[in-house]
Amino acid sequence: MTKAMVLALSLFVLPAKADWQVNMTQGVTELSREIFDLHMLIFWICVVIGVAVFGVMFYSIFKHRKSKGAVAEHWHENTTVEVIWTVVPFVILISMAVPATATLINMYDTSEADVDIQVTGYQWKWRYQYLNEDIDFFSNLSTPRDEINNVQVKNSNYLLEVDKPLVIPVNKKVRFLITSNDVIHSWWVPNFAVKKDAIPGFVNESWVRVEEPGIYRGQCTELCGKEHGFMPIVVEVKAEADYARWVADQKAMKLISAGAASQNYAVADLIAKGEGVYNAACAGCHQVNGQGMPGAFPAITASAIATGPIQKHLDIVLNGKAGTAMQAFKQQLSAVDLAAVVTFQRNGLGNSVGDSIQPSAVQQ
Amino acid sequence: MKLWLRALLSTMSAFLGVQSNERRERDFIDGKFPVFVAAGITFTLLFLLAVYGLVQFVLWSVD
Ligand SMILES: [Cu+2]
């Protein structure tokens, strides 16, 4: 191979190599590094054992090969050898268990947390409730449908971006109480070394203390249905002052949205806003064009409910339908968003009922 | 060797998963089934107790 060829080839190989992470993530918490070190320690122990065992085996096969006149020995048992090969792995396992146990105990110690956040899995989004503050919101995938459908070029955070990230303060112990509203999900942020199942009816606990402000991304890691790959996790870690400001902003926004709900909106504005809400919250099931998926999700276009009495339409959106994938959106969306999406469904997606509903009417 | 002592030793070997053929045959010739059952149950209970005690000790020692 000529030098030029090597150079040309390395151009292909090098950038690709940078993207290639084969090993476990080291992470940004003391605990995640502890877990990483433990993983490496045990990995190297396994390498040494593997090399020793296969070394002896291959050497014996080669040294005592038949062509050299080796004759197999026939014997039935050797208690001493058997005891040794039982006790040695036992000792190795116990010596690995000692550091592992110390880390495990640390991992499970959720006491004395500064911030408590309940994390609830939904099909297919996450809900974050700050238990000591009056903050409660849903975090939805924000990747445009056009990128998913290969109409638009995919951005670098494709399927790893949300409309409202979880926000936590840096250098504080944050405890997560993880549960689910429907099926089993799993809340995983590799940089925190946290991966916990979200199980309906159970609360699993976990905690982090992140040392560096930044944005960390993760995914649901328990197969939970059609949009399992479309419910990412984004955590924004903020410096203490920025976090306090964020908390204050959330409370102010709550007041603003309460004010917004008492205003009257033009029907055209509701429809325009409703289309955005529909694409973010409903299109995963009912599809962007409103046709649904026969057998699983009904069409909104020409639907008896979406073109019938508005109260029944509002009712299924507010309260969902028990036993089906149609969830209650009462707590997920603001009064304005609810009014907008109902108005949009009645006057878009091929429907033209002509009526509308105001946020103030939704609130009652 | 006493019968129960031999049953005890054989049960211990069983927990480790190693036993010589000679002892195994002897156990089958003049061993008593109920003695082995009793030894087996005793060892299982002791094992559970030991694991439980170890966990309690470890948790206590980190507090
Ligand atoms: Cu999920």
Side-chain angles (χ1 to χ4, degrees):
Chain A
M1 232 188 320
T2 66
K3 260 191 192 151
M5 273 171 76
V6 174
L7 210 68
L9 268 178
S10 68
L11 280 180
F12 283 106
V13 176
L14 289 180
K17 208 175 159 192
D19 295 336
W20 253 72
Q21 189 200 348
V22 182
N23 204 352
M24 196 175 156
T25 307
Q26 231 163 318
V28 291
T29 68
E30 194 192 319
L31 195 58
S32 75
R33 280 192 299 272
E34 211 177 290
I35 293 172
F36 180 82
D37 291 344
L38 197 59
H39 165 263
M40 290 322 286
L41 172 73
I42 289 172
F43 171 75
W44 285 115
I45 293 177
C46 293
V47 168
V48 170
I49 294 175
V51 168
V53 169
F54 283 105
V56 169
M57 194 173 101
F58 288 134
Y59 170 78
S60 314
I61 292 173
F62 181 73
K63 177 80 193 294
H64 307 290
R65 57 191 185 276
K66 202 176 175 188
S67 61
K68 288 268 156 127
V71 181
E73 238 187 273
H74 292 275
W75 44 274
H76 178 260
E77 63 184 58
N78 186 326
T79 316
T80 320
V81 173
E82 284 170 28
V83 168
I84 289 172
W85 79 43
T86 309
V87 170
V88 169
F90 182 77
V91 170
I92 294 174
L93 278 177
I94 294 292
S95 63
M96 292 199 297
V98 171
T101 306
T103 304
L104 265 181
I105 289 172
N106 192 4
M107 268 169 78
Y108 279 91
D109 178 17
T110 51
S111 63
E112 285 165 38
D114 302 305
V115 181
D116 298 302
I117 301 174
Q118 183 180 328
V119 177
T120 311
Y122 281 69
Q123 279 176 322
W124 293 280
K125 66 202 86 179
W126 294 98
R127 179 185 190 176
Y128 301 115
Q129 287 160 284
Y130 291 63
L131 301 183
N132 338 50
E133 315 279 353
D134 184 22
I135 299 177
D136 175 359
F137 61 90
F138 282 80
S139 182
N140 294 286
L141 175 76
S142 64
T143 300
R145 287 278 149 190
D146 276 351
E147 287 187 20
I148 296 169
N149 296 333
N150 293 323
V151 178
Q152 219 175 303
V153 186
K154 301 182 194 308
N155 78 82
S156 59
N157 290 323
Y158 178 69
L159 296 187
L160 290 174
E161 47 191 347
V162 297
D163 53 356
K164 279 196 86 176
L166 172 66
V167 177
I168 60 171
V170 78
N171 285 324
K172 294 265 182 206
K173 185 162 181 176
V174 180
R175 179 168 66 134
F176 299 118
L177 298 118
I178 301 170
T179 184
S180 167
N181 179 60
D182 34 52
V183 300
I184 302 180
H185 302 268
S186 187
W187 198 81
W188 180 40
V189 180
N191 271 306
F192 300 168
V194 170
K195 185 197 266 183
K196 268 270 180 251
D197 276 3
I199 306 172
F202 286 81
V203 176
N204 284 331
E205 291 184 46
S206 195
W207 66 273
V208 290
R209 189 194 299 276
V210 185
E211 292 153 355
E212 273 173 64
I215 293 179
Y216 304 100
R217 296 170 200 274
Q219 284 163 298
C220 175
T221 48
E222 184 65 57
L223 202 54
C224 59
K226 176 174 166 283
E227 307 261 295
H228 162 62
F230 300 75
M231 51 179 293
I233 296 152
V234 180
V235 185
E236 218 179 306
V237 180
K238 285 187 191 286
E240 205 170 332
D242 293 339
Y243 176 74
R245 202 167 318 129
W246 179 82
V247 170
D249 282 353
Q250 296 308 300
K251 295 188 172 160
M253 260 160 56
K254 205 164 175 181
L255 287 180
I256 292 172
S257 78
S262 61
Q263 285 173 26
N264 264 328
Y265 290 78
V267 177
D269 291 345
L270 285 176
I271 293 176
K273 190 173 177 46
E275 180 164 14
V277 176
Y278 179 83
N279 286 335
C282 325
C285 295
H286 296 295
Q287 305 302 304
V288 177
N289 57 13
Q291 296 303 314
M293 291 183 87
F297 309 116
I300 297 300
T301 310
S303 135
I305 292 178
T307 59
I310 200 162
Q311 277 308 326
K312 270 188 83 179
H313 186 177
L314 181 64
D315 179 65
I316 193 170
V317 180
L318 287 181
N319 304 312
K321 185 156 175 189
T324 75
M326 183 62 202
Q327 337 165 341
F329 282 92
K330 195 163 40 187
Q331 260 141 32
Q332 304 195 30
L333 298 173
S334 68
V336 178
D337 285 351
L338 286 164
V341 77
V342 168
T343 304
F344 169 70
Q345 286 191 332
R346 305 178 71 77
N347 299 290
L349 303 169
N351 295 336
S352 50
V353 186
D355 58 358
S356 65
I357 190 164
Q358 289 295 327
S360 48
V362 170
Q363 271 186 324
Q364 288 153 12
Chain B
M1 223 189 301
K2 289 244 171 56
L3 193 69
W4 63 267
L5 195 64
R6 242 175 40 215
L8 222 62
L9 277 175
S10 289
T11 314
M12 258 165 80
S13 325
F15 265 67
L16 202 64
V18 176
Q19 174 71 301
S20 72
N21 202 32
E22 182 195 331
R23 286 224 223 144
R24 188 180 62 82
E25 275 173 1
R26 200 182 51 198
D27 283 346
F28 271 85
I29 289 165
D30 60 11
K32 279 218 170 64
F33 180 69
V35 180
F36 280 99
V37 171
I41 290 173
T42 311
F43 260 87
T44 308
L45 290 177
L46 281 177
F47 178 71
L48 291 179
L49 262 173
V51 171
Y52 178 81
L54 186 68
V55 170
Q56 291 307 311
F57 170 74
V58 168
L59 290 179
W60 167 82
S61 67
V62 291
D63 260 357

